[in-house]
Every structure is written in structure tokens, then in C-alpha cells.
Amino acid sequence: MHFDFAAILVALTFATGVIWAIDHWFFAKQRAAQTPPGEAPREPVLVEYSRSFFPVILIVLLFRSFLAEPFRIPSGSMMPTLLVGDFILVNKFAYGIRLPVLDKKIIEVGEPERGDVVVFRFPKDPSQDYIKRVIGKPGDEVTYRDKKLYVNGKEMPQATDGLYAGTDTESRELVRRGAESLVEQLDSVSHKIIAVPGDQVGPDFTISVPAGHYFVMGDNRDRSSDSRVWGFVPEQNLVGKAFVIWMSWRGLSNGVIEFSRLGTLIK
């Protein structure tokens, strides 16, 4: 079952705020007048809890809706940039200020650039959040040939970085297959990708990105379900730009917490 956390926060903020306000304006003075001198008025439990939790819930709602939202990486499609168990923060205002729940943009701020790592609502099931890297912007022509990217006819350079040497559980099969680590340059963004000999997601292609949409791919190029499989990401599905790893819970088999990844900026 999918829980819309933003909707829950909005509902709780509204409920606690209304209860507190109604009590303050209509019942608190009457209760104080009926209380014997020297004694503090006794609030109903529901009012006490509403008064205590309203500001906390409101702050969480505002922070999560307009500043930053935490996400957990559930799969290896963005290896080696992001690993399973990484907890990241997403900049919610990088691509515009949106109203919570309604997801209606009210203030234009910026738009994704090639190379940005973005979180978005999966086009085929908006209840799921996905994370990939922006390859093509609206109007771009993207070509993928021999595992190399070309954007508007310009090759995005790749340089070998040796064999992939990840040591976590998800990396073992890649290491066994002789996966290669490459450094790719997407405009001004330099980042690492993984290529697995003999594997490829879909055939080579040339495709034009329609207006209001983005073409995205995972850094684990041969093990990522992305725009090559299910199509473009509509602009209105964007959640924000991933910018930092604040926790990396790798599990008991991988040393529990990988402290070296904490505070790592995502690029």
C-alpha cells in the first residue's frame, strides 16, 4: 500500500492547527474563568497534543515541501555514484517551488541541466520515486551507439578508469563479469559509469526529446531500467535534484554504516 506522506503531513498540520485555534478563540478563556484562583487551567488532552505537535509538524512540512526531502536508494541502477542503502537529500526548489500534494509549480526557479542526478515520480506509476541522471533536455537529439552517448551530434567523451572494483554485495557479480569503470563527461559534469562486457539495455538508437520532457539514464549503464526502456520523464514529474549523501546504511553484510560516504556531494 502506498502512503502519500506529504498528504498525511498536510492533513495533520490542518487538523492540529484547527483544533488549537478553535480552542484558543472559543474555549480557553471560558476554561480559565472557571478555574479556581491560583490553579492553572487544564487543557483537554486533544488540545494539549495539538498545541504541542502543530509547530513541529508545520516545520517538517515546510522543510520537506520547499527545501529538502530525504530518499533511500533501493537499487543498483546508479552505481557507482549511488549505492544500495545510501540515504540522500534532494533539493526541492532547484527546479521550481511546488505546492505539496497538488504538485503545482507556483514559482519558476530553474530547470535540469545535462548531468544532473534527479529524483522524479515514475511516469508509469507516479506513486514510485525513481532516481537517474539527465542525459537529454527538451529538444535534444540523443544517440546511443557502441555504448557511447552523442547529444546533438556531439560525443560525450569517456575515459577508462580501469576495472570496476566495488566490494559490496551488489558489486560482486559485476566484478565477476569484468565490469569496466569509465569517466564520462556530460557538458561540465564529470562522473563515473559502469559498463559490463556483452551486456546492453536495448539496441542502439537516435531519439529526439519532446518539449516538456527529459531523457534519463542510470550510471550502471547495462543494468538500469531507464528512458531506454520506459520513455521520457515529463517535467511535472520532477521532484528535485539529488545533492548529498547524508547516511549510508550498507547492512550487516557490508559493515553496517559506510562512514566514508557520509557528506559526499552527488555529481
Side-chain angles (χ1 to χ4, degrees):
M1 182 182 295
H2 172 69
F3 293 95
D4 189 334
F5 191 56
I8 293 173
L9 282 177
V10 169
L12 288 175
T13 302
F14 178 80
T16 55
V18 167
I19 291 171
W20 185 20
I22 290 176
D23 179 76
H24 175 77
W25 291 108
F26 296 102
F27 300 109
K29 292 181 180 179
Q30 180 182 353
R31 192 165 55 245
Q34 295 174 348
T35 302
E39 293 185 16
R42 207 169 202 185
E43 291 181 330
V45 173
L46 182 60
V47 173
E48 182 181 356
Y49 276 114
S50 295
R51 177 175 55 80
S52 300
F53 284 112
F54 171 74
V56 176
I57 298 173
L58 178 61
I59 290 171
V60 172
L61 174 64
L62 294 176
F63 183 86
R64 186 182 183 276
S65 300
F66 303 118
L67 295 178
E69 183 175 353
F71 287 89
R72 180 183 183 275
I73 303 302
S75 75
S77 70
M78 281 298 293
M79 294 165 58
T81 305
L82 297 170
L83 305 179
V84 175
D86 282 348
F87 289 79
I88 65 172
L89 285 179
V90 173
N91 183 334
K92 295 296 292 287
F93 59 84
Y95 307 135
I97 304 298
R98 296 177 183 271
L99 292 175
V101 182
L102 299 177
D103 279 325
K104 180 178 177 58
K105 186 183 290 187
I106 55 175
I107 301 176
E108 293 283 350
V109 176
E111 61 182 27
E113 298 294 336
R114 294 185 203 96
D116 284 2
V117 176
V118 298
V119 170
F120 55 92
R121 295 185 303 280
F122 183 41
K124 295 185 180 299
D125 182 3
S127 69
Q128 296 185 48
D129 293 313
Y130 272 37
I131 182 166
K132 305 292 179 186
R133 189 178 298 274
V134 174
I135 304 298
K137 300 168 60 178
D140 282 348
E141 180 185 79
V142 178
T143 296
Y144 191 62
R145 185 171 64 246
D146 297 329
K147 296 194 177 185
K148 291 187 177 181
L149 279 168
Y150 302 80
V151 179
N152 299 325
K154 178 183 177 183
E155 181 179 351
M156 301 292 104
Q158 294 178 355
T160 183
D161 193 43
L163 293 176
Y164 179 62
T167 58
D168 57 286
T169 302
E170 293 75 24
S171 298
R172 291 171 187 165
E173 202 265 337
L174 294 174
V175 173
R176 184 183 63 81
R177 290 288 305 277
E180 185 180 10
S181 178
L182 301 167
V183 178
E184 182 177 72
Q185 191 73 31
L186 283 174
D187 291 344
S188 62
V189 178
S190 178
H191 68 104
K192 289 187 177 183
I193 63 174
I194 298 174
V196 183
D199 287 4
Q200 182 169 311
V201 177
D204 290 348
F205 62 85
T206 295
I207 196 168
S208 295
V209 184
H213 291 74
Y214 293 86
F215 188 89
V216 299
M217 295 174 71
D219 290 347
N220 193 355
R221 286 288 161 81
D222 300 319
R223 303 293 173 88
S224 171
S225 175
D226 47 41
S227 287
R228 293 171 291 179
V229 177
W230 39 256
F232 305 103
V233 177
E235 188 276 336
Q236 62 265 27
N237 284 46
L238 295 174
V239 174
K241 179 180 179 180
F243 69 96
V244 70
I245 299 171
W246 64 271
M247 174 58 72
S248 187
W249 174 260
R250 309 293 296 124
L252 296 176
S253 61
N254 291 308
V256 188
I257 297 176
E258 192 166 335
F259 291 97
S260 62
R261 296 183 63 76
L262 308 191
T264 300
L265 297 179
I266 299 170
K267 61 179 182 178

